[in-house]
Amino acid sequence: MVNYNTFLHGYNLEVKADGKCSPMGSPPATLGQFPLRHPYRFYRFLCDLDDLVESVSDDLERIRIAAVLTRHFLTQATWITETCPVPDQDQRVAGKSLYGEPGYPFIIQVVAWLPQRSPVHNHANWSIVGYLGDEMAGCEHNSFWCRQDDGLKKGHAIIKKASQQILKPGDIIGFTPDAIHSIVSIPCEKGIDSKPTYTFNIFGETDFSQRYEFDPLNNTLKKF
């Protein structure tokens, strides 16, 4: 189901509050605290992420290091194939938790999407999304938005589309907590026998008081 050789190629991208999707910047020197081991077991990956959160407080630096670790992990984690859920036609999305422990500052999950669209939303956490699959797996068309107002008026938000990007298997994208995006999951270009869109997601600790769904037509927002 999932071809891990795609992670030997792919792009590392990042999105911040300005909504500009750009090539990910170079990781800070603290990346040297995390040797890229072979083999790179899941427990090592979890320990590295835990140490990363403990030692690096800047969210942008976190995602730049986490992206390097995630790509290194996914090039080796052949067992991920067996964890990919199968969405049904009614729900159109299925998720499976790979790691989540009370008191730990992140969760990891895999998600499978049939073609559909998401609302405009933020994550209110630092996060990494890796796109799994082979040439028959689906992709995601992401639109990235920038907030234009000062956030002082309750329930009111003016957002403007700033960039867009089609994300394919092998790509990894990092979001700062204030990044805003919307998603349309789409079949692969080959079409007929397209598989779902598969993602490997890492979400840092969420500030639910700042997690929103945005309505760009009516300039409103609500808790998400």
Side-chain angles (χ1 to χ4, degrees):
M1 180 185 298
V2 178
N3 179 356
Y4 292 90
N5 290 332
T6 56
F7 284 97
L8 296 174
H9 310 287
Y11 296 100
N12 283 7
L13 303 166
E14 65 186 26
V15 181
K16 304 185 287 293
D18 63 6
K20 295 178 182 178
C21 181
S22 58
M24 189 167 285
S26 299
T30 43
L31 175 63
Q33 300 175 17
F34 308 96
L36 300 181
R37 299 177 173 87
H38 296 271
Y40 195 30
R41 307 292 189 193
F42 189 44
Y43 81 92
R44 288 283 193 189
F45 181 57
L46 293 175
C47 289
D48 282 347
L49 290 178
D50 192 27
D51 291 343
L52 171 62
V53 173
E54 182 69 25
S55 61
V56 178
S57 59
D58 181 84
D59 288 314
L60 188 57
E61 292 188 357
R62 282 180 177 174
I63 64 173
R64 289 174 176 176
I65 294 174
V68 174
L69 300 179
T70 300
R71 184 171 296 279
H72 185 62
F73 172 67
L74 290 175
T75 59
Q76 302 181 53
T78 55
W79 57 268
I80 294 270
T81 301
E82 302 169 7
T83 73
C84 290
V86 179
D88 63 43
Q89 291 295 327
D90 293 328
Q91 297 293 327
R92 304 196 67 77
V93 62
K96 182 174 181 179
S97 175
L98 296 184
Y99 182 77
E101 182 177 344
Y104 263 59
F106 57 87
I107 61 171
I108 299 177
Q109 57 186 209
V110 287
V111 178
W113 302 80
L114 294 176
Q116 62 179 305
R117 72 176 61 239
S118 78
V120 183
H121 64 282
N122 66 353
H123 291 171
N125 55 43
W126 67 271
S127 49
I128 292 285
V129 180
Y131 292 82
L132 306 170
D134 55 23
E135 69 278 2
M136 298 306 296
C139 304
E140 271 188 3
H141 183 281
N142 270 252
S143 295
F144 306 103
W145 304 74
C146 178
R147 190 163 182 176
Q148 306 292 298
D149 64 297
D150 58 15
L152 296 179
K153 185 178 178 181
K154 186 176 181 180
H156 176 78
I158 300 173
I159 61 173
K160 179 181 179 181
K161 190 179 293 186
S163 65
Q164 55 188 352
Q165 180 74 35
I166 293 179
L167 295 160
K168 301 179 179 181
D171 291 339
I172 291 174
I173 188 166
F175 297 91
T176 58
D178 46 8
I180 302 170
H181 75 140
S182 55
I183 297 166
V184 179
S185 51
I186 55 178
C188 74
E189 295 176 357
K190 298 188 177 181
I192 297 177
D193 296 317
S194 180
K195 300 172 184 176
T197 300
Y198 301 108
T199 61
F200 176 88
N201 304 331
I202 305 171
F203 295 114
E205 193 167 10
T206 301
D207 181 356
F208 287 100
S209 70
Q210 298 300 313
R211 190 181 184 200
Y212 297 111
E213 176 183 332
F214 298 84
D215 181 345
L217 295 179
N218 295 305
N219 295 332
T220 60
L221 80 168
K222 61 182 180 180
K223 291 295 177 61
F224 180 58

